[in-house]
Amino acid sequence: ARMTERIRQPALQPPPIRPAAPRDEDPTAFLEAHYRHVWETRMRDLPFVNAALAVEAIGFQRVEGDWLGVVITPWFVNLVLVYGGGQLWGDIPAGERRYLNLPCGTMQFLADDDPDIGPYQYCPLIAPVDKLPDMATARFVAADAIKTVFTAPPAVAEPQPAPIPEEKPEVSRRGFLRRLAGKRN
């Protein structure tokens, strides 16, 4: 009998997780500066960008200690989560998904790790953005998204059980015929 040698393959290792450093300050200016730099140096001449749009971060606020808001660029409109030291954040490898329970319900976020801004997570709202005619429309979409994310859905009324019909005394055949004839008892 011929013996075959089994070759051991190394187990696939998950991508490394670079832990996020908490950001104490509102990340609006930091994100705008980063994405403006990306726009000016790497994205400006690409065919899928919408030159009618600019870079703007809108509505960032603390949610369970972390930062959540919308970033508009000429190539996307994303809901962005930045670690602020709170409870909403969870370190996961870039490219992985996680689901966050927000006031509006559960939303899916993707992890990314940019060498310049570090780990962040985002939920794509619009990409590509070629159908947005101007910045005013993009701002409206961003503001509406923020309002929606931070608003709990209306409570669904609990179905009420059907009322139990009152028990009516059984009517005898004689009583029924008497009522038909218009007589009482």
Side-chain angles (χ1 to χ4, degrees), residues 12-68:
L12 291 176
Q13 296 295 317
I17 298 173
R18 180 166 65 144
R23 182 167 293 280
D24 295 327
E25 302 291 319
D26 180 337
T28 297
F30 174 74
L31 291 169
E32 286 179 349
H34 169 71
Y35 284 108
R36 278 193 190 107
H37 177 73
V38 170
W39 171 233
E40 292 162 3
T41 60
R42 295 183 279 183
M43 301 296 283
R44 195 170 285 282
D45 297 324
L46 296 176
F48 57 85
V49 299
N50 182 345
L53 301 184
V55 171
E56 190 171 334
I58 295 179
F60 274 85
Q61 53 192 289
R62 291 266 190 184
V63 178
E64 295 183 34
D66 295 312
W67 295 100
L68 192 63

Side-chain angles (χ1 to χ4, degrees), residues 6-17:
R6 195 173 182 146
I7 300 172
R8 295 193 112 180
Q9 297 274 336
L12 291 176
Q13 296 295 317
I17 298 173

Side-chain angles (χ1 to χ4, degrees), residues 137-156:
T137 304
R139 283 185 192 109
F140 176 81
V141 167
D144 190 52
I146 291 165
K147 180 178 159 193
T148 301
V149 165
F150 291 115
T151 303
V156 177

Side-chain angles (χ1 to χ4, degrees), residues 20 148 154 167 170:
T148 301
E167 298 241 357
E170 278 193 41

Side-chain angles (χ1 to χ4, degrees), residues 159-167:
Q160 298 298 318
I164 299 172
E166 289 182 31
E167 298 241 357

